[in-house]
Amino acid sequence: MSSRKTSLPNRDSEDKYSILLPTYNEKENLPLIVWLLVKYLDEGGFSYEIIVIDDGSPDGTLQVAEQLQKIFGEDKILLRPRAKKLGLGTAYIHGMRHATGNFIIIMDADLSHHPKFIPEFIQKQKEGDYDLVSGTRYHGNGGVYGWDLRRKLISRGANFLSQVLLRPGASDLTGSFRLYKRSVLECLVERCVSKGYVFQMEMIVRARQLNYSVGEVPISFVDRVYGESKLGGNEIVSFGKGLITLFAST
Ligand code: GDD
Ligand code: MN
């Protein structure tokens, strides 16, 4: 671990990382993910803030977030809640508007995305001055753990279809563990039309269109232990529609 810390190339002390955590019914997961984020980011000596975007979770996620804010401080944990469930895509946009970092990291709050990968994202970004760094489950040591066959097929299928239709030149289109230069994210968001799950894919497809550089870091995606996925039949149908719209418009 310590060898990695010292091998990080010349870190710019002015860099600040805003981590966006969208939550909907994540009260069991939030304390652990926040604790892990603080651990890895502090260990790496990074400047950062964690922005929790809760969409009126009925399970009391926001109250848990308020407790965490007391523990870790208002400079580290920012709460930017919304009144009701308005979707993952707009949750990111909402969080981004409040971010003060020059880099923005987007990830799931259910521990499927492990904070231990963040120092690798940051290192990768610096290596190539990449505009965006995308975690990939479908390259190198990346992988998916804990999904049933149905869910694996959906993800593989969505990636395959999208690869064929859109040819974006990145190996994981539907993944959502990514680091962006803030200005790049703002520019992409302005151009993105989708609101739900297809948002992730549209972002990387548009990034390629605009000739932004994309670095990749293999990640292991571990299915959530607590709570359930919000990806249901409705999201799959709207993903399909979104894919067709993207195909038609790019
Ligand atoms: N604020 C807010 N509003 N957060 C939401 C909403 C919403 O409407 N819907 C979901 N979330 C939060 C969840 O609480 C979690 O932190 C994260 O967004 C991802 O939601 P999950 O429900 O856990 O998604 P998943 O595991 O089924 O899907 C994952 O894999 C997909 C395909 O690879 C996510 O990474 C997706 O973004 C990805 O497209
Ligand atoms: Mn999940």
Side-chain angles (χ1 to χ4, degrees):
M1 205 63 244
S2 57
S3 63
R4 167 163 305 144
K5 254 186 277 175
T6 50
S7 69
L8 278 172
N10 49 0
R11 192 149 48 228
D12 187 339
S13 59
E14 277 165 27
D15 285 340
K16 180 172 179 181
Y17 299 87
S18 299
I19 294 111
L20 306 188
L21 284 185
T23 57
Y24 191 75
N25 288 343
E26 302 291 1
K27 78 166 178 210
E28 287 99 346
N29 293 313
L30 195 60
L32 190 50
I33 185 117
V34 166
W35 183 79
L36 286 167
L37 280 167
V38 168
K39 172 178 147 68
Y40 284 98
L41 290 160
D42 279 349
E43 271 180 17
F46 303 111
S47 164
Y48 66 96
E49 64 187 2
I50 300 168
I51 304 180
V52 180
I53 306 117
D54 186 64
D55 271 3
S57 298
D59 77 343
T61 302
L62 185 57
Q63 286 69 43
V64 171
E66 284 164 357
Q67 293 301 315
L68 293 165
Q69 191 181 41
K70 286 198 187 110
I71 296 169
F72 295 105
E74 287 181 11
D75 56 325
K76 289 271 146 66
I77 315 285
L78 283 70
L79 309 180
R80 296 294 178 263
R82 302 189 296 178
K84 60 178 170 102
K85 193 171 188 303
L86 296 169
L88 195 48
T90 60
Y92 291 133
I93 298 169
H94 179 75
M96 183 192 84
R97 298 224 165 97
H98 295 281
T100 64
N102 54 332
F103 288 101
I104 296 184
I105 293 168
I106 283 175
M107 66 193 294
D108 295 348
D110 61 354
L111 294 169
S112 286
H113 295 151
H114 200 297
K116 70 182 176 192
F117 293 112
I118 291 180
E120 293 178 36
F121 279 55
I122 293 173
Q123 190 174 2
K124 180 57 126 188
Q125 192 284 324
K126 293 200 179 293
E127 261 170 42
D129 191 28
Y130 290 108
D131 294 315
L132 95 89
V133 174
S134 176
T136 176
R137 298 162 293 180
Y138 300 127
H139 193 253
N141 292 325
V144 171
Y145 302 90
W147 271 358
D148 57 16
L149 187 62
R150 172 181 171 272
R151 190 63 212 266
K152 278 185 180 159
L153 284 175
I154 292 171
S155 178
R156 279 283 185 181
N159 259 288
F160 178 74
L161 255 181
S162 318
Q163 292 284 359
V164 170
L165 292 178
L166 307 169
R167 308 209 164 273
S171 60
D172 192 342
L173 304 178
T174 54
S176 53
F177 195 178
R178 292 179 187 157
L179 178 154
Y180 293 88
K181 284 182 183 167
R182 187 208 170 88
S183 54
V184 169
L185 183 61
E186 282 169 349
C187 180
L188 286 171
V189 156
E190 246 172 59
R191 287 174 171 76
C192 278
V193 291
S194 31
K195 296 280 168 280
Y197 275 76
V198 78
F199 178 82
Q200 322 289 358
M201 185 173 69
E202 176 166 10
M203 292 287 279
I204 206 149
V205 169
R206 301 239 180 256
R208 283 300 189 182
Q209 280 176 351
L210 296 168
N211 280 320
Y212 285 127
S213 56
V214 180
E216 291 194 314
V217 170
I219 57 155
S220 45
F221 179 103
V222 182
D223 194 23
R224 61 165 71 238
V225 176
Y226 294 109
E228 47 187 50
S229 163
K230 285 93 207 171
L231 181 78
N234 280 343
E235 275 76 19
I236 296 170
V237 172
S238 63
F239 180 90
K241 285 187 192 151
L243 175 61
I244 293 164
T245 314
L246 258 184
F247 178 57
S249 70
T250 57

